[in-house]
Amino acid sequence: MPESISLNDGFSIPQLGLGVWQVDPSITAKVVGWGIEGGYRLIDTAEGYGNEEGVGEAIRSASVPRSELFVTSKLRNRAHERDAALREFDATMRKLGVEQLDLFLIHWPVPKQDKYVEAWKTLIELRDAGRVRSIGVSNFNRDHLERIIGETGVTPAVNQIELHPRLQQRAARAFHAEHRIQIESWSPLGSGRLLDNPTIDGIARKHGKTIAQTIIRWHLQEGLVVIPKSVNRDRIVANFDVFDFELDADDMQAIASLDAAGGRTGADPATASFMF
Ligand code: A2P
C-alpha cells in the first residue's frame, strides 16, 4: 500500500495519486472511478483541465468515503487577483461538490503578470477560513518561492513541478528539502516519452515489472509524490501495482545517470505566461 507523506503544515498526502491532466471531461468520472477502485486515494485536477465536474461525480459515486480521498485542484492563471481567485475557488468547489478541499495550488507563477504574491495571500486567506486544508504552488522556481515566503512568512506545503528521470531537478530538490516543501512530480513518465528507454527497460525486466512501474517506483523511493495519468483501466491499475518490489542502489544510480539537459517536456515556469 502507498505511504502517506507528512507535510510541513501537519497534514499528510498519499504518495501515489492519479493525475487527470488531458483527460477528456466526458470520460473523467469513469477514469477517476477506475482509479479509486484500483486503490488510488489522491486525485489531482485543476480548473484549467476543465474536468473538475467529472472528478466530483466520481467522488460522489465512489465506494470509498470522501474522508479517505485527497482532492487537489489548482487556481487558473488569469485569476491571481484576490476577487477573481475567490470567485474561481468557489467555482472549483461547486464543480467538485466538496465541503473542503484537501490541497489547492497556484497553477503557474506567470512572472510576467506579477500577481502571484496576491494569489498566494488569497490562498492563505482560504486556508485560514478552513475552506482548504493545505495550500501550495505549482511550477514555482526558487525565486518565486523565496518571494512568497519572504512577503507572507507562509511556506507552501507542496510545489508540483515537472520531474522525471530526464528532468530530475536535483538543485531544486535541495532547496525544497531545506524548507520542507514536498515536491509532487508532474509528467512523471516524461509525458510517456520515457516508456521505451533501454536503461529503464533493463531494470524493469530484472524486476519483472514494466517501464512505467519502474519509473513510478523510482519517484516513490526518491520521496516524491507522484501522479501518473492514464485513461486506460489496465494501465491505471498497473501503475498502482508498485508496492511489491524495490529498486536497488545500482538501479537508482543507473536512473540518476539519465538526467539530461533539455529534458523538459512542458513549459518553462520562468517564462510561461499562457492565460487560462
Ligand atoms: P494513456 O492515458 O493512453 O495510458 P505522464 O503521467 O508522464 O504525463 O504520462 C502520461 C502518458 O503516459 C499518457 O500518454 C499515458 O497514456 C501514458 N501512460 C500512462 N501509464 C502508462 C503505462 N503504464 N504504460 C504505457 N503508457 C502509459
Side-chain angles (χ1 to χ4, degrees):
M1 279 300 287
E3 307 259 321
S4 274
I5 292 197
S6 297
L7 299 173
N8 64 15
D9 60 5
F11 293 108
S12 59
I13 183 169
Q15 202 182 353
L16 175 56
L18 183 69
V20 298
W21 179 43
Q22 291 178 330
V23 176
D24 193 272
S26 66
I27 58 164
T28 300
K30 185 174 68 177
V31 165
V32 173
W34 291 335
I36 295 170
E37 272 170 37
Y40 293 79
R41 294 296 175 262
L42 160 60
I43 311 297
D44 184 275
T45 184
E47 294 189 300
Y49 301 169
N51 56 22
E52 288 170 310
E53 277 114 335
V55 172
E57 195 183 322
I59 294 168
R60 279 190 298 284
S61 50
S63 54
V64 171
R66 161 73 186 100
S67 57
E68 285 179 28
L69 297 171
F70 187 106
V71 186
T72 303
S73 194
K74 314 186 191 79
L75 179 67
R76 60 172 76 249
N77 286 356
R78 65 173 154 74
H80 281 193
E81 286 179 7
R82 181 177 177 276
D83 287 355
L86 292 174
R87 203 169 47 240
E88 292 297 335
F89 179 79
D90 283 344
T92 277
M93 298 301 270
R94 230 180 4 257
K95 288 179 194 159
L96 288 170
V98 296
E99 289 277 300
Q100 189 190 40
L101 197 60
D102 298 283
L103 178 64
F104 196 49
L105 308 177
I106 301 174
H107 206 147
W108 292 86
V110 199
K112 214 168 114 196
Q113 181 177 237
D114 198 20
K115 293 267 167 53
Y116 62 85
V117 176
E118 183 170 342
W120 183 238
K121 287 179 179 164
T122 312
L123 263 59
I124 295 168
E125 203 180 315
L126 288 165
R127 182 199 64 178
D128 290 348
R131 305 209 54 207
V132 50
R133 252 173 18 163
S134 294
I135 51 173
V137 295
S138 184
N139 301 300
F140 272 46
N141 287 339
R142 179 176 175 154
D143 57 323
H144 312 130
L145 290 167
E146 282 174 337
R147 184 151 168 230
I148 58 170
I149 297 167
E151 293 205 24
T152 67
V154 178
T155 303
V158 161
N159 187 16
Q160 186 180 115
I161 57 177
E162 181 181 348
L163 197 156
H164 45 73
R166 282 256 180 253
L167 182 69
Q168 299 188 20
Q169 304 267 22
R170 295 285 169 188
R173 279 156 78 180
F175 177 81
H176 285 72
E178 237 170 79
H179 290 267
R180 288 207 56 221
I181 302 168
Q182 177 61 46
I183 297 180
E184 267 191 284
S185 307
W186 68 253
S187 279
L189 306 173
S191 271
R193 284 178 221 179
L194 283 163
L195 294 169
D196 56 358
N197 183 278
T199 302
I200 306 176
D201 187 43
I203 297 168
R205 285 171 191 275
K206 183 173 111 183
H207 292 282
K209 287 289 184 176
T210 66
I211 294 183
Q213 288 167 329
T214 304
I215 298 172
I216 293 165
R217 183 73 210 177
W218 173 81
H219 286 273
L220 298 177
Q221 290 185 215
E222 290 279 347
L224 302 159
V225 172
V226 56
I227 46 168
K229 169 262 175 187
S230 179
V231 293
N232 174 283
R233 187 176 201 161
D234 292 341
R235 292 196 284 274
I236 288 171
V237 169
N239 289 349
F240 202 77
D241 181 18
V242 291
F243 300 98
D244 62 349
F245 75 115
E246 192 156 356
L247 301 174
D248 61 33
D250 289 345
D251 303 333
M252 295 300 281
Q253 187 55 47
I255 298 176
S257 73
L258 299 177
D259 203 8
R264 193 184 289 287
T265 66
D268 182 346
T271 51
S273 59
F274 32 75
M275 280 299 135
F276 58 81

